Amino acid sequence: MVACIDACFDCAQSCTACADADLGEPDVETMIRCIALCHNCSDICISTGRVLSRQTEFVPQVARVALQACIEACRLCGDECERHAQHHEHCRICEEVCRICEQACDDALKALPT
Amino acid sequence: MVACIDACFDCAQSCTACADADLGEPDVETMIRCIALCHNCSDICISTGRVLSRQTEFVPQVARVALQACIEACRLCGDECERHAQHHEHCRICEEVCRICEQACDDALKALPT
Amino acid sequence: MVACIDACFDCAQSCTACADADLGEPDVETMIRCIALCHNCSDICISTGRVLSRQTEFVPQVARVALQACIEACRLCGDECERHAQHHEHCRICEEVCRICEQACDDALKALPT
Amino acid sequence: MVACIDACFDCAQSCTACADADLGEPDVETMIRCIALCHNCSDICISTGRVLSRQTEFVPQVARVALQACIEACRLCGDECERHAQHHEHCRICEEVCRICEQACDDALKALPT
């Protein structure tokens, strides 16, 4: 769970930075989907990381839907960044961080009490 | 969709305020679950409200999981606030706002392109 | 204070929507500064709105710096949106919402206990 | 700047966890100020970390006020956590992380272009 929380905050930061770096690219018109997915992924990672950080009254049902949302957001953002990874170093890094977060969320989801 | 975005931001504010007001109650030890659910709901409402606000490259798959998470967070938070609604005015209000947001998210979910 | 909290959440939503709408404009390269300022303003408005929503243990020193940050973020975002207000309806609206939030934060700042 | 961004996201996570752990303490009534300051610090750290992550159109005036708010929020949260550091391990850790973030923000503030 600690690994998953760290991964969520890392991914939030990486996605915010990638969305911003996209704005400075000469081919910004082709990066619009990447920007949108990065922003969405960053917001969902922050909320998921915070939900998982709250352990005193941990509510598995909330953790479950937050993790499911985060897995999907990371997957879609990672797929889009992968398309640009060869031209843009920030997309290559962001894809990597998204994949790590997706995997960490998937592991955390499987470890949730049913 | 606009109604749903407004409901998400309203609910985020209401949940932040309710979690804080709980801290000032003499029976704070009995409000711990309410505080946790309010914080979680507030964070998920913010991320959902922002995801839905991004319409230029709208990605229905992300909107779907965000809405599903928000519905569950609002439902659980509303249920918990309902238990305290008779003693605490802020819980009565927060329950109401959570129910509105849950319904708005449910409507938006049904209206998503498949 | 309630007016200021509402203004912060409204402005957060408006800035997120404006930054996104900028991405769909044919002159997106000229909107990069607007996008950056809108994102910054949205994030600062959320954190300020939440800080002000916490009244049980209200700490004026934190409220003061949060409000000062919000005033500056709204002022700069409003100024940039004003430059595009004639071409882009979302910038015209966003400027208006930023000015309201800036004023509400300024009023709240003056009303803080010293 | 990279160190400061990392410190902001670390501190946001630590403050969210500390505020939550406070809720599980038997002396929760004495931790109310700690909870409030931790939540405020977490929100301001997130917004500051994101503002600083946006380098393509970096606006020093926004960075300045965000950093000033973050320094004050970390200082007050660190001071409060210090008071509880001997009884609560999470407060000891959170104080440490707040001090690191305050220092990193102070360094970043001094390095801003005037």
Side-chain angles (χ1 to χ4, degrees):
Chain A
M1 192 60 86
V2 173
C4 183
I5 296 168
D6 286 345
C8 285
F9 280 87
D10 278 358
C11 195
Q13 202 274 314
S14 168
C15 286
T16 296
C18 187
D20 179 71
D22 286 335
L23 294 175
E25 299 294 350
D27 59 344
V28 59
E29 304 84 1
T30 67
M31 306 304 291
I32 307 299
R33 187 177 160 91
C34 186
I35 295 172
L37 285 166
C38 278
H39 281 307
N40 289 342
C41 191
S42 180
D43 285 332
I44 291 174
C45 280
I46 291 280
S47 62
T48 304
R50 283 182 154 180
V51 166
L52 300 178
S53 297
R54 299 193 181 106
Q55 294 283 328
T56 296
E57 268 287 326
F58 188 73
V59 183
Q61 300 102 298
V62 182
R64 174 163 292 112
V65 286
L67 284 165
Q68 286 167 339
C70 204
I71 289 167
E72 184 72 356
C74 288
R75 189 180 66 75
L76 288 161
C77 189
D79 286 354
E80 181 66 20
C81 282
E82 188 180 16
R83 296 184 52 227
H84 310 286
Q86 290 201 307
H87 333 286
H88 300 315
E89 175 68 3
H90 53 86
C91 286
R92 194 190 61 71
I93 294 168
C94 194
E95 185 211 342
E96 200 176 298
V97 179
C98 284
R99 302 300 188 200
I100 292 169
C101 190
E102 182 189 348
Q103 184 62 53
C105 287
D106 204 51
D107 293 345
L109 184 64
K110 283 170 187 150
L112 279 186
T114 48
Chain B
M1 192 60 88
V2 172
C4 184
I5 295 168
D6 285 346
C8 285
F9 280 87
D10 278 358
C11 195
Q13 202 273 314
S14 168
C15 286
T16 296
C18 187
D20 179 72
D22 286 335
L23 295 175
E25 298 295 348
D27 59 346
V28 59
E29 304 84 1
T30 67
M31 306 303 291
I32 307 298
R33 186 176 160 92
C34 185
I35 295 172
L37 285 166
C38 277
H39 281 307
N40 289 341
C41 192
S42 180
D43 285 333
I44 290 173
C45 281
I46 291 279
S47 61
T48 304
R50 282 182 155 180
V51 165
L52 300 178
S53 297
R54 298 192 182 106
Q55 294 283 328
T56 296
E57 268 285 326
F58 189 74
V59 183
Q61 298 104 300
V62 182
R64 174 164 292 111
V65 286
L67 284 165
Q68 287 168 337
C70 204
I71 289 167
E72 184 72 358
C74 287
R75 191 181 65 77
L76 288 161
C77 189
D79 286 353
E80 181 65 23
C81 282
E82 187 179 17
R83 296 184 51 226
H84 309 286
Q86 291 201 307
H87 333 288
H88 300 315
E89 175 68 2
H90 51 87
C91 287
R92 194 190 60 71
I93 294 168
C94 195
E95 186 210 342
E96 199 176 296
V97 179
C98 284
R99 302 300 188 200
I100 292 170
C101 190
E102 182 188 350
Q103 185 61 53
C105 287
D106 205 50
D107 293 345
L109 184 64
K110 281 169 188 151
L112 279 186
T114 49
Chain C
M1 192 61 87
V2 172
C4 184
I5 295 168
D6 286 345
C8 285
F9 280 86
D10 278 357
C11 196
Q13 202 273 314
S14 167
C15 286
T16 296
C18 187
D20 179 71
D22 286 335
L23 294 174
E25 298 295 348
D27 60 343
V28 59
E29 305 85 359
T30 68
M31 305 303 291
I32 307 298
R33 186 177 161 92
C34 185
I35 296 172
L37 285 166
C38 278
H39 282 307
N40 289 341
C41 192
S42 180
D43 285 333
I44 291 174
C45 281
I46 292 279
S47 61
T48 304
R50 283 182 155 180
V51 165
L52 300 177
S53 297
R54 298 191 182 108
Q55 294 284 328
T56 296
E57 267 287 326
F58 188 74
V59 183
Q61 298 104 298
V62 182
R64 175 164 291 112
V65 287
L67 284 165
Q68 287 168 337
C70 204
I71 289 167
E72 184 72 358
C74 288
R75 190 181 64 77
L76 288 161
C77 189
D79 287 352
E80 182 64 20
C81 282
E82 188 180 16
R83 296 183 52 226
H84 309 286
Q86 291 201 307
H87 333 286
H88 300 316
E89 176 68 2
H90 53 84
C91 287
R92 195 190 60 72
I93 294 168
C94 194
E95 186 212 340
E96 199 175 297
V97 179
C98 284
R99 302 301 188 200
I100 292 169
C101 189
E102 182 189 349
Q103 185 62 54
C105 287
D106 205 50
D107 293 345
L109 185 64
K110 281 169 188 150
L112 280 185
T114 49
Chain D
M1 193 60 86
V2 173
C4 183
I5 295 168
D6 286 346
C8 286
F9 281 86
D10 278 358
C11 195
Q13 201 274 313
S14 168
C15 286
T16 296
C18 187
D20 178 72
D22 285 335
L23 293 176
E25 299 294 349
D27 59 344
V28 60
E29 304 84 359
T30 68
M31 306 303 291
I32 307 298
R33 186 176 160 91
C34 185
I35 295 171
L37 285 166
C38 277
H39 282 307
N40 289 341
C41 192
S42 180
D43 285 333
I44 291 175
C45 281
I46 291 280
S47 61
T48 304
R50 283 182 154 180
V51 166
L52 299 177
S53 297
R54 298 191 182 108
Q55 294 283 328
T56 296
E57 267 287 327
F58 188 74
V59 183
Q61 297 103 300
V62 182
R64 174 163 294 112
V65 287
L67 284 165
Q68 286 167 337
C70 204
I71 289 167
E72 186 71 358
C74 287
R75 189 180 67 75
L76 288 161
C77 189
D79 286 354
E80 182 65 22
C81 282
E82 187 180 16
R83 295 183 53 226
H84 310 285
Q86 290 202 308
H87 333 286
H88 300 316
E89 176 68 3
H90 53 86
C91 287
R92 195 191 60 71
I93 294 168
C94 195
E95 186 212 342
E96 200 175 296
V97 179
C98 283
R99 302 302 189 199
I100 290 169
C101 190
E102 182 188 349
Q103 185 62 54
C105 288
D106 205 50
D107 293 345
L109 184 64
K110 283 171 187 149
L112 279 186
T114 49

